[in-house]
Amino acid sequence: MGHTVPKLLVTFAAGGVGYCALETLWRGRTHPSMALCGGTVLAVFTKMVRRGGSRLGLCLRGCALITGCELLCGLVFNRDRQVWDYSRLPGNFRGQICPLFSALWFLLCIPLCGLCPLLERHLALLDKRGTGGL
């Protein structure tokens, strides 16, 4: 068609696929709402990384972003607790989020701090070459 796919859309898709893949590896299943959550998180986190800051600060903000997105998706899509249920874990909020998984999201942000710029560079190279159209 001659048009390149917007970088934001590709980043969103990569986040959706990545989040679902991680969840499937971790739990053996996922839910379509997790693609929405993962896509949103990667798109926003990539912008956060681009703006810069310390790795600790980025990981803390990323942890808050993922936890918040998980809470929002949980309150909308997980009312019957068929997607996930943290209610047996200490410090949980309505079974939707908990400190243990927030800590895991913090750890996930460590490699994401390096992967986000790589993804952006790759997309920029594809765009320069004129091969970014799908």
PDB file of all heavy atoms in Angstrom, residues 25-47:
ATOM      1  N   LEU A  25       3.818 -18.415  29.187  1.00  0.00           N
ATOM      2  CA  LEU A  25       4.963 -19.156  29.725  1.00  0.00           C
ATOM      3  C   LEU A  25       4.859 -19.322  31.240  1.00  0.00           C
ATOM      4  O   LEU A  25       5.201 -20.363  31.785  1.00  0.00           O
ATOM      5  CB  LEU A  25       6.276 -18.446  29.376  1.00  0.00           C
ATOM      6  CG  LEU A  25       6.722 -18.534  27.927  1.00  0.00           C
ATOM      7  CD1 LEU A  25       7.899 -17.604  27.681  1.00  0.00           C
ATOM      8  CD2 LEU A  25       7.083 -19.966  27.559  1.00  0.00           C
ATOM      9  N   TRP A  26       4.408 -18.286  31.930  1.00  0.00           N
ATOM     10  CA  TRP A  26       4.332 -18.277  33.394  1.00  0.00           C
ATOM     11  C   TRP A  26       3.183 -19.142  33.916  1.00  0.00           C
ATOM     12  O   TRP A  26       3.357 -19.935  34.826  1.00  0.00           O
ATOM     13  CB  TRP A  26       4.170 -16.834  33.878  1.00  0.00           C
ATOM     14  CG  TRP A  26       4.129 -16.652  35.364  1.00  0.00           C
ATOM     15  CD1 TRP A  26       3.022 -16.604  36.152  1.00  0.00           C
ATOM     16  CD2 TRP A  26       5.236 -16.490  36.247  1.00  0.00           C
ATOM     17  NE1 TRP A  26       3.367 -16.402  37.462  1.00  0.00           N
ATOM     18  CE2 TRP A  26       4.725 -16.334  37.559  1.00  0.00           C
ATOM     19  CE3 TRP A  26       6.621 -16.445  36.061  1.00  0.00           C
ATOM     20  CZ2 TRP A  26       5.550 -16.148  38.664  1.00  0.00           C
ATOM     21  CZ3 TRP A  26       7.423 -16.248  37.170  1.00  0.00           C
ATOM     22  CH2 TRP A  26       6.883 -16.115  38.445  1.00  0.00           C
ATOM     23  N   ARG A  27       1.971 -18.973  33.310  1.00  0.00           N
ATOM     24  CA  ARG A  27       0.764 -19.623  33.842  1.00  0.00           C
ATOM     25  C   ARG A  27       0.187 -20.701  32.938  1.00  0.00           C
ATOM     26  O   ARG A  27      -0.739 -21.399  33.331  1.00  0.00           O
ATOM     27  CB  ARG A  27      -0.351 -18.591  34.053  1.00  0.00           C
ATOM     28  CG  ARG A  27      -0.058 -17.559  35.067  1.00  0.00           C
ATOM     29  CD  ARG A  27      -1.203 -16.606  35.341  1.00  0.00           C
ATOM     30  NE  ARG A  27      -2.150 -16.429  34.259  1.00  0.00           N
ATOM     31  CZ  ARG A  27      -3.476 -16.370  34.437  1.00  0.00           C
ATOM     32  NH1 ARG A  27      -3.988 -16.471  35.625  1.00  0.00           N
ATOM     33  NH2 ARG A  27      -4.277 -16.168  33.409  1.00  0.00           N
ATOM     34  N   GLY A  28       0.658 -20.736  31.706  1.00  0.00           N
ATOM     35  CA  GLY A  28       0.126 -21.711  30.765  1.00  0.00           C
ATOM     36  C   GLY A  28      -1.115 -21.239  30.024  1.00  0.00           C
ATOM     37  O   GLY A  28      -1.688 -21.978  29.230  1.00  0.00           O
ATOM     38  N   ARG A  29      -1.535 -20.007  30.260  1.00  0.00           N
ATOM     39  CA  ARG A  29      -2.705 -19.454  29.573  1.00  0.00           C
ATOM     40  C   ARG A  29      -2.659 -17.930  29.685  1.00  0.00           C
ATOM     41  O   ARG A  29      -1.905 -17.387  30.478  1.00  0.00           O
ATOM     42  CB  ARG A  29      -4.009 -19.983  30.152  1.00  0.00           C
ATOM     43  CG  ARG A  29      -4.225 -19.632  31.610  1.00  0.00           C
ATOM     44  CD  ARG A  29      -5.439 -20.363  32.203  1.00  0.00           C
ATOM     45  NE  ARG A  29      -5.498 -20.198  33.627  1.00  0.00           N
ATOM     46  CZ  ARG A  29      -6.138 -19.218  34.260  1.00  0.00           C
ATOM     47  NH1 ARG A  29      -6.799 -18.322  33.555  1.00  0.00           N
ATOM     48  NH2 ARG A  29      -6.140 -19.139  35.565  1.00  0.00           N
ATOM     49  N   THR A  30      -3.481 -17.292  28.872  1.00  0.00           N
ATOM     50  CA  THR A  30      -3.598 -15.836  28.923  1.00  0.00           C
ATOM     51  C   THR A  30      -5.025 -15.463  28.553  1.00  0.00           C
ATOM     52  O   THR A  30      -5.878 -16.340  28.398  1.00  0.00           O
ATOM     53  CB  THR A  30      -2.565 -15.142  27.994  1.00  0.00           C
ATOM     54  OG1 THR A  30      -2.545 -13.747  28.277  1.00  0.00           O
ATOM     55  CG2 THR A  30      -2.841 -15.397  26.535  1.00  0.00           C
ATOM     56  N   HIS A  31      -5.274 -14.187  28.439  1.00  0.00           N
ATOM     57  CA  HIS A  31      -6.603 -13.669  28.119  1.00  0.00           C
ATOM     58  C   HIS A  31      -6.408 -12.501  27.154  1.00  0.00           C
ATOM     59  O   HIS A  31      -5.423 -11.752  27.277  1.00  0.00           O
ATOM     60  CB  HIS A  31      -7.288 -13.198  29.413  1.00  0.00           C
ATOM     61  CG  HIS A  31      -8.699 -12.785  29.240  1.00  0.00           C
ATOM     62  ND1 HIS A  31      -9.045 -11.476  28.969  1.00  0.00           N
ATOM     63  CD2 HIS A  31      -9.853 -13.491  29.288  1.00  0.00           C
ATOM     64  CE1 HIS A  31     -10.365 -11.398  28.874  1.00  0.00           C
ATOM     65  NE2 HIS A  31     -10.879 -12.599  29.055  1.00  0.00           N
ATOM     66  N   PRO A  32      -7.311 -12.301  26.188  1.00  0.00           N
ATOM     67  CA  PRO A  32      -7.145 -11.204  25.228  1.00  0.00           C
ATOM     68  C   PRO A  32      -6.970  -9.828  25.879  1.00  0.00           C
ATOM     69  O   PRO A  32      -6.282  -8.964  25.322  1.00  0.00           O
ATOM     70  CB  PRO A  32      -8.436 -11.251  24.399  1.00  0.00           C
ATOM     71  CG  PRO A  32      -8.921 -12.657  24.528  1.00  0.00           C
ATOM     72  CD  PRO A  32      -8.486 -13.127  25.886  1.00  0.00           C
ATOM     73  N   SER A  33      -7.543  -9.624  27.032  1.00  0.00           N
ATOM     74  CA  SER A  33      -7.381  -8.328  27.703  1.00  0.00           C
ATOM     75  C   SER A  33      -5.927  -8.052  28.055  1.00  0.00           C
ATOM     76  O   SER A  33      -5.518  -6.896  28.177  1.00  0.00           O
ATOM     77  CB  SER A  33      -8.246  -8.266  28.961  1.00  0.00           C
ATOM     78  OG  SER A  33      -7.830  -9.228  29.913  1.00  0.00           O
ATOM     79  N   MET A  34      -5.127  -9.104  28.192  1.00  0.00           N
ATOM     80  CA  MET A  34      -3.717  -8.915  28.519  1.00  0.00           C
ATOM     81  C   MET A  34      -2.945  -8.349  27.338  1.00  0.00           C
ATOM     82  O   MET A  34      -1.931  -7.680  27.522  1.00  0.00           O
ATOM     83  CB  MET A  34      -3.099 -10.229  29.009  1.00  0.00           C
ATOM     84  CG  MET A  34      -3.692 -10.724  30.324  1.00  0.00           C
ATOM     85  SD  MET A  34      -3.413  -9.599  31.722  1.00  0.00           S
ATOM     86  CE  MET A  34      -4.814  -8.514  31.658  1.00  0.00           C
ATOM     87  N   ALA A  35      -3.427  -8.590  26.115  1.00  0.00           N
ATOM     88  CA  ALA A  35      -2.801  -7.972  24.945  1.00  0.00           C
ATOM     89  C   ALA A  35      -3.018  -6.465  24.983  1.00  0.00           C
ATOM     90  O   ALA A  35      -2.104  -5.687  24.683  1.00  0.00           O
ATOM     91  CB  ALA A  35      -3.365  -8.576  23.661  1.00  0.00           C
ATOM     92  N   LEU A  36      -4.201  -6.053  25.371  1.00  0.00           N
ATOM     93  CA  LEU A  36      -4.500  -4.624  25.513  1.00  0.00           C
ATOM     94  C   LEU A  36      -3.609  -4.007  26.583  1.00  0.00           C
ATOM     95  O   LEU A  36      -3.010  -2.941  26.382  1.00  0.00           O
ATOM     96  CB  LEU A  36      -5.973  -4.435  25.863  1.00  0.00           C
ATOM     97  CG  LEU A  36      -6.452  -3.021  26.113  1.00  0.00           C
ATOM     98  CD1 LEU A  36      -6.296  -2.159  24.868  1.00  0.00           C
ATOM     99  CD2 LEU A  36      -7.903  -3.038  26.555  1.00  0.00           C
ATOM    100  N   CYS A  37      -3.492  -4.678  27.708  1.00  0.00           N
ATOM    101  CA  CYS A  37      -2.652  -4.195  28.809  1.00  0.00           C
ATOM    102  C   CYS A  37      -1.186  -4.124  28.374  1.00  0.00           C
ATOM    103  O   CYS A  37      -0.524  -3.104  28.554  1.00  0.00           O
ATOM    104  CB  CYS A  37      -2.830  -5.110  30.019  1.00  0.00           C
ATOM    105  SG  CYS A  37      -1.988  -4.548  31.506  1.00  0.00           S
ATOM    106  N   GLY A  38      -0.681  -5.204  27.798  1.00  0.00           N
ATOM    107  CA  GLY A  38       0.721  -5.252  27.381  1.00  0.00           C
ATOM    108  C   GLY A  38       1.057  -4.234  26.313  1.00  0.00           C
ATOM    109  O   GLY A  38       2.115  -3.612  26.342  1.00  0.00           O
ATOM    110  N   GLY A  39       0.161  -4.052  25.360  1.00  0.00           N
ATOM    111  CA  GLY A  39       0.391  -3.069  24.310  1.00  0.00           C
ATOM    112  C   GLY A  39       0.439  -1.656  24.856  1.00  0.00           C
ATOM    113  O   GLY A  39       1.312  -0.856  24.492  1.00  0.00           O
ATOM    114  N   THR A  40      -0.499  -1.361  25.730  1.00  0.00           N
ATOM    115  CA  THR A  40      -0.536  -0.035  26.352  1.00  0.00           C
ATOM    116  C   THR A  40       0.730   0.214  27.153  1.00  0.00           C
ATOM    117  O   THR A  40       1.362   1.279  27.047  1.00  0.00           O
ATOM    118  CB  THR A  40      -1.782   0.092  27.258  1.00  0.00           C
ATOM    119  OG1 THR A  40      -2.946  -0.112  26.456  1.00  0.00           O
ATOM    120  CG2 THR A  40      -1.836   1.451  27.938  1.00  0.00           C
ATOM    121  N   VAL A  41       1.121  -0.774  27.940  1.00  0.00           N
ATOM    122  CA  VAL A  41       2.305  -0.630  28.784  1.00  0.00           C
ATOM    123  C   VAL A  41       3.553  -0.385  27.941  1.00  0.00           C
ATOM    124  O   VAL A  41       4.328   0.535  28.217  1.00  0.00           O
ATOM    125  CB  VAL A  41       2.485  -1.867  29.696  1.00  0.00           C
ATOM    126  CG1 VAL A  41       3.873  -1.934  30.274  1.00  0.00           C
ATOM    127  CG2 VAL A  41       1.436  -1.863  30.799  1.00  0.00           C
ATOM    128  N   LEU A  42       3.767  -1.198  26.906  1.00  0.00           N
ATOM    129  CA  LEU A  42       4.992  -1.027  26.124  1.00  0.00           C
ATOM    130  C   LEU A  42       5.001   0.310  25.384  1.00  0.00           C
ATOM    131  O   LEU A  42       6.036   0.973  25.318  1.00  0.00           O
ATOM    132  CB  LEU A  42       5.203  -2.181  25.141  1.00  0.00           C
ATOM    133  CG  LEU A  42       6.576  -2.176  24.460  1.00  0.00           C
ATOM    134  CD1 LEU A  42       7.709  -2.290  25.490  1.00  0.00           C
ATOM    135  CD2 LEU A  42       6.674  -3.284  23.435  1.00  0.00           C
ATOM    136  N   ALA A  43       3.859   0.722  24.850  1.00  0.00           N
ATOM    137  CA  ALA A  43       3.802   2.007  24.151  1.00  0.00           C
ATOM    138  C   ALA A  43       4.137   3.161  25.091  1.00  0.00           C
ATOM    139  O   ALA A  43       4.922   4.050  24.747  1.00  0.00           O
ATOM    140  CB  ALA A  43       2.418   2.199  23.531  1.00  0.00           C
ATOM    141  N   VAL A  44       3.573   3.146  26.293  1.00  0.00           N
ATOM    142  CA  VAL A  44       3.827   4.231  27.251  1.00  0.00           C
ATOM    143  C   VAL A  44       5.239   4.126  27.820  1.00  0.00           C
ATOM    144  O   VAL A  44       5.950   5.131  27.933  1.00  0.00           O
ATOM    145  CB  VAL A  44       2.765   4.222  28.383  1.00  0.00           C
ATOM    146  CG1 VAL A  44       3.118   5.219  29.472  1.00  0.00           C
ATOM    147  CG2 VAL A  44       1.381   4.501  27.813  1.00  0.00           C
ATOM    148  N   PHE A  45       5.659   2.909  28.160  1.00  0.00           N
ATOM    149  CA  PHE A  45       6.993   2.744  28.752  1.00  0.00           C
ATOM    150  C   PHE A  45       8.088   3.143  27.763  1.00  0.00           C
ATOM    151  O   PHE A  45       9.096   3.733  28.156  1.00  0.00           O
ATOM    152  CB  PHE A  45       7.195   1.308  29.245  1.00  0.00           C
ATOM    153  CG  PHE A  45       8.418   1.145  30.099  1.00  0.00           C
ATOM    154  CD1 PHE A  45       8.466   1.684  31.372  1.00  0.00           C
ATOM    155  CD2 PHE A  45       9.517   0.456  29.637  1.00  0.00           C
ATOM    156  CE1 PHE A  45       9.608   1.553  32.168  1.00  0.00           C
ATOM    157  CE2 PHE A  45      10.649   0.306  30.422  1.00  0.00           C
ATOM    158  CZ  PHE A  45      10.694   0.855  31.690  1.00  0.00           C
ATOM    159  N   THR A  46       7.895   2.853  26.487  1.00  0.00           N
ATOM    160  CA  THR A  46       8.875   3.253  25.480  1.00  0.00           C
ATOM    161  C   THR A  46       9.040   4.770  25.462  1.00  0.00           C
ATOM    162  O   THR A  46      10.158   5.279  25.378  1.00  0.00           O
ATOM    163  CB  THR A  46       8.458   2.725  24.087  1.00  0.00           C
ATOM    164  OG1 THR A  46       8.423   1.300  24.140  1.00  0.00           O
ATOM    165  CG2 THR A  46       9.427   3.154  23.010  1.00  0.00           C
ATOM    166  N   LYS A  47       7.950   5.486  25.580  1.00  0.00           N
ATOM    167  CA  LYS A  47       8.032   6.956  25.645  1.00  0.00           C
ATOM    168  C   LYS A  47       8.754   7.399  26.916  1.00  0.00           C
ATOM    169  O   LYS A  47       9.520   8.354  26.907  1.00  0.00           O
ATOM    170  CB  LYS A  47       6.639   7.581  25.578  1.00  0.00           C
ATOM    171  CG  LYS A  47       6.034   7.521  24.202  1.00  0.00           C
ATOM    172  CD  LYS A  47       4.728   8.281  24.159  1.00  0.00           C
ATOM    173  CE  LYS A  47       4.234   8.323  22.733  1.00  0.00           C
ATOM    174  NZ  LYS A  47       3.443   9.478  22.440  1.00  0.00           N
TER     175      LYS A  47
END
